[in-house]
Amino acid sequence: MTEFTTRPEILGTFGVVTSTHWIASAVGMSILEKGGNAFDAAVATGFVLQIVEPHLCGPGGDMPAIFYSKKKDNVEVICAQGPAPAGATIEHYTSEGLAMIPGDGLLATVIPGAFDGWMLMLRDYGTMSVRDVLEPAIYYAENGHPVLARVSATIKGLAGFFEKEWPTSYATWLPGGTAPEPLSNFKNPVLAETWKRVVAEAEAKSGRENQIEAARDAFYRGFVAEAIDAYVRTAEVMDASGSRHRGVLTAQDMASWQATVEAPQTYDYHDWTVAKTPAWGQGPVLLQSLALLKGFDLSSMDPSGADFVHVVVEAMKLAYADREVYYGDPDFAQIPTEYLLSEGYNAERRKLIGGQASLDLRPGRVPGYDHQLDLTMAMLGEVSGKGAVYEPTMSHLTEKRGDTVHIDVIDRWGNMVSTTPSGGWLQSSPIVPGLGFALNSRAQMFWLKPGLPTSLEPGKRPRTTLTPSLALHQGRPTLVFGTPGGDQQDQWQLPFFLRYVHHKKNLQAAIDMPLFHTTHFPGSFYPRTREPGNIMVESNVGPEVLAELRRRGHQVTVADPWSVGRLTAARRDADGLMRAAATPRLMQAYAVGR
């Protein structure tokens, strides 16, 4: 008898698209139907998600992608994570009276990266035009889309703040002075006009690649950059620090930056090779967790049992502790990733995983990094209080849910894309006048203490939480997967992957199983707090498992069933059969394919 799943595992041979919103998945599939490839579909899907999930991503945000190009026969990463502006110095921020970068407002803004990343993907790997990939987003911005209940609640929660402090956001999100009701038809005509102008400036040139370059110029060296510069120069806006601040982003910052293509960081686990972003993202924590777990017989454990949850959580605590000390932009610091993934290092670290939950933050010692370790731990001792804010919404004003979106696409030629766009949320900073979108708040991931890989510096990339995944089976690109969720992204992807590999679940069954994560380590988002020993577990693991986890010393927070994680995944078999799945949680992610 086939195992019950909340939805079917989608099967086909033509193509599959899965994302965190059904409209976006349908748009991606429509691009494949028109003859586009996985890269074209991912770009169009990404722009639509900016419209239909504006509390989770926007045009002013960022985008890492990990992908396999059949033509190049290579797995690569696009880094569309904008760095800190030239004026973003520790001295300037501390002179503004800040000990920590706030989680919203203009001082939290880095160079918007997503648009350049999408255009780079389209130019070098796609086949379609700027118009082709922007038309669906223009349609939903102009004609409207059904407002998600969470979007409505977020706007309602911020209505008074927007009216008083961010009037441009008030005008955009509460047209006529009223917040949109759930499932009402919401439009963003100003953003539609922005994208129409980008398309018009692109089409003033002839040739697909020239048009893409013209679109990049319009955004980074043309009218978009000019509007951002004019606004940031003069606006002083309220942020989470409780004071008003002016931003430091300029048109010159935008003009001099471009997205890049990089090699992924990989780790071999049994007969799989998992590929992630380098350590400017948190991706290597999943690889470090796998390196630790390689020494345990996970196949013999109940994949929803106390042994499995305990061992996986304890491994993640160790990996995330190392993230705090050693990760950062490799262009600015020596990151000892290979050492952190080495068997010798992990054999010793593995011994720390015992029968009881650890309540200590325990990074490992890497030779030559003693000063960095001591400096980081001293700083964390000063700033990390109790109580956790793990997602970058303004929790002091509105409900704290979600922060990101995710897309997986595979086409009939074998191209595969996994991407986790984020930033530029409606609650991150005010709408830029005349553009219809907000800037990001990614700089909150920097520390204002010098000498660390994650210390604020001009031109440096923040150590983001965005972490899409691609896995090769016996050397063949096979699986793409990911989830929104800030610090939890790799914590939800890890049990999914382990259950898929060790317990032979299909994609949907592996996604449906009860999820869990820990808030043991410092959060990446303002105010950077931690809850030692805390784990959140969906209650459908059962009361016996919850009781056993408590007996082992875990501080257990019980979550409602079907409330944790927003995973999606897609697979291509050697014979060309494709599979896709999406979580039923929140009832909006969807997989399509044929």
Side-chain angles (χ1 to χ4, degrees):
M1 183 176 163
T2 305
E3 181 178 10
F4 173 81
T5 55
T6 57
R7 300 166 173 187
E9 183 183 53
I10 301 296
L11 300 171
T13 56
F14 177 80
V16 289
V17 180
T18 182
S19 84
T20 48
H21 196 291
W22 67 90
I23 288 176
S25 297
V27 164
M29 195 68 203
S30 76
I31 296 291
L32 296 182
E33 298 285 2
K34 290 171 185 166
N37 66 16
F39 303 104
D40 301 314
V43 176
T45 304
F47 280 114
V48 168
L49 285 170
Q50 295 173 1
I51 308 296
V52 298
E53 295 197 277
H55 61 319
L56 306 178
C57 71
D62 31 41
M63 183 277 282
I66 189 159
F67 56 92
Y68 170 72
S69 162
K70 183 71 175 174
K71 186 174 171 184
K72 295 178 76 170
D73 191 25
N74 201 19
V75 175
E76 294 176 302
V77 168
I78 285 179
C79 177
Q81 174 54 63
T89 63
I90 290 175
E91 294 72 27
H92 175 69
Y93 281 55
T94 53
S95 75
E96 293 276 311
L98 297 171
M100 192 179 289
I101 298 175
D104 53 48
L106 296 177
L107 270 182
T109 293
V110 300
I111 297 167
F115 187 82
D116 206 62
W118 290 127
M119 291 299 106
L120 174 63
M121 180 181 284
L122 184 67
R123 185 193 70 185
D124 292 355
Y125 302 91
T127 66
M128 287 186 154
S129 69
V130 174
R131 176 181 289 278
D132 291 333
V133 297
L134 272 174
E135 268 190 335
I138 292 170
Y139 173 87
Y140 287 108
E142 194 165 46
N143 295 291
H145 59 91
V147 175
L148 294 169
R150 284 166 198 282
V151 175
S152 173
T154 300
I155 293 170
K156 286 178 179 177
L158 288 163
F161 178 80
F162 281 175
E163 185 174 23
K164 182 170 181 246
E165 300 292 353
W166 296 2
T168 55
S169 293
Y170 188 79
T172 298
W173 302 115
L174 293 95
T178 306
E181 292 299 320
L183 305 185
S184 63
N185 196 40
F186 185 80
K187 303 171 185 177
N188 188 341
V190 178
L191 180 55
E193 290 304 314
T194 295
W195 290 144
K196 284 183 186 175
R197 184 168 171 186
V198 168
V199 170
E201 295 200 12
E203 291 182 342
K205 305 285 185 183
S206 58
R208 192 184 80 92
E209 291 194 9
N210 289 335
Q211 289 185 357
I212 293 169
E213 289 306 306
R216 294 172 92 180
D217 284 342
F219 196 98
Y220 289 90
R221 287 160 285 281
F223 79 97
V224 174
E226 289 163 8
I228 290 171
D229 185 286
Y231 176 62
V232 175
R233 258 177 214 284
T234 57
E236 286 193 16
V237 308
M238 179 64 73
D239 57 44
S241 72
S243 301
R244 292 179 181 82
H245 294 105
R246 195 175 293 179
V248 294
L249 180 67
T250 68
Q252 182 55 45
D253 291 316
M254 293 183 63
S256 56
W257 177 81
Q258 288 193 329
T260 52
V261 177
E262 303 182 3
Q265 184 69 50
T266 62
Y267 183 75
D268 294 333
Y269 182 79
H270 297 280
D271 53 357
W272 290 83
T273 301
V274 183
K276 300 288 285 183
T277 67
W280 48 261
Q282 76 176 2
V285 294
L286 187 136
L287 307 182
Q288 281 195 251
S289 299
L290 291 173
L292 289 162
L293 292 167
K294 201 184 257 189
F296 293 89
D297 183 10
L298 297 178
S299 298
S300 68
M301 296 180 188
D302 174 352
S304 291
D307 285 345
F308 181 85
V309 175
H310 172 77
V311 168
V312 172
V313 163
E314 291 304 299
M316 292 192 302
K317 286 179 184 176
L318 295 173
Y320 274 86
D322 281 349
R323 180 194 78 168
E324 293 308 301
V325 175
Y326 298 112
Y327 291 19
D329 187 343
D331 293 342
F332 282 74
Q334 286 288 113
I335 314 296
T337 313
E338 297 306 324
Y339 188 88
L340 296 174
L341 293 174
S342 66
E343 179 51 35
Y345 178 75
N346 285 285
E348 286 303 308
R349 296 280 278 162
R350 208 174 285 132
K351 294 173 185 174
L352 297 174
I353 301 176
Q356 288 294 113
S358 168
L359 301 182
D360 298 320
L361 193 66
R362 300 183 292 179
R365 282 204 175 266
V366 175
Y369 288 78
D370 286 337
H371 176 68
Q372 186 171 306
L373 172 63
D374 295 342
L375 192 64
T376 303
M377 293 304 284
M379 180 194 67
L380 292 177
E382 293 168 17
V383 301
S384 289
K386 289 268 287 181
V389 173
Y390 267 71
E391 301 194 0
T393 51
M394 294 164 63
S395 62
H396 59 299
L397 295 170
T398 187
E399 68 168 18
K400 169 174 60 67
R401 297 287 176 88
D403 63 326
T404 304
V405 298
H406 186 77
I407 303 163
D408 298 304
V409 188
I410 306 177
D411 65 27
R412 62 190 187 270
W413 300 287
N415 298 303
M416 310 174 72
V417 181
S418 175
T419 177
T420 312
S422 186
W425 315 290
L426 69 85
Q427 64 274 37
S428 62
S429 69
I431 290 286
V432 179
L435 296 182
F437 67 83
L439 296 169
N440 62 78
S441 53
R442 192 62 65 183
Q444 66 184 293
M445 297 185 164
F446 288 115
W447 293 108
L448 295 180
K449 180 136 188 130
L452 303 172
T454 45
S455 302
L456 179 66
E457 285 183 72
K460 183 189 276 189
R461 292 171 285 188
R463 195 275 302 142
T464 175
T465 53
L466 306 174
T467 175
S469 299
L470 186 151
L472 302 91
H473 185 245
Q474 297 177 346
R476 183 182 60 80
T478 301
L479 184 67
V480 282
F481 57 101
T483 178
D487 291 296
Q488 293 97 313
Q489 287 178 31
D490 283 311
Q491 298 195 68
W492 296 334
Q493 292 181 67
L494 180 62
F496 158 77
F497 181 70
L498 294 171
R499 288 158 169 169
Y500 190 68
V501 169
H502 290 289
H503 303 102
K504 309 306 177 191
K505 302 283 182 184
N506 75 31
L507 292 177
Q508 191 65 51
I511 284 173
D512 284 353
M513 293 190 72
L515 279 170
F516 54 88
H517 62 265
T518 177
T519 50
H520 174 78
F521 50 86
S524 297
F525 298 95
Y526 179 89
R528 312 298 289 266
T529 45
R530 61 179 290 248
E531 293 181 315
N534 184 269
I535 59 172
M536 178 173 279
V537 188
E538 286 184 315
S539 63
N540 39 335
V541 295
E544 298 85 1
V545 172
L546 295 171
E548 176 58 19
L549 290 169
R550 288 193 174 103
R551 191 191 68 75
R552 296 186 188 194
H554 295 282
Q555 309 295 312
V556 178
T557 300
V558 180
D560 291 336
W562 312 110
S563 66
V564 169
R566 294 179 69 202
L567 286 156
T568 69
R571 173 185 173 129
R572 185 176 190 272
D573 294 344
D575 63 1
L577 182 69
M578 286 175 248
R579 308 161 188 266
T583 185
R585 296 164 175 91
L586 305 193
M587 296 189 293
Q588 65 193 58
Y590 228 80
V592 293
R594 67 169 179 86

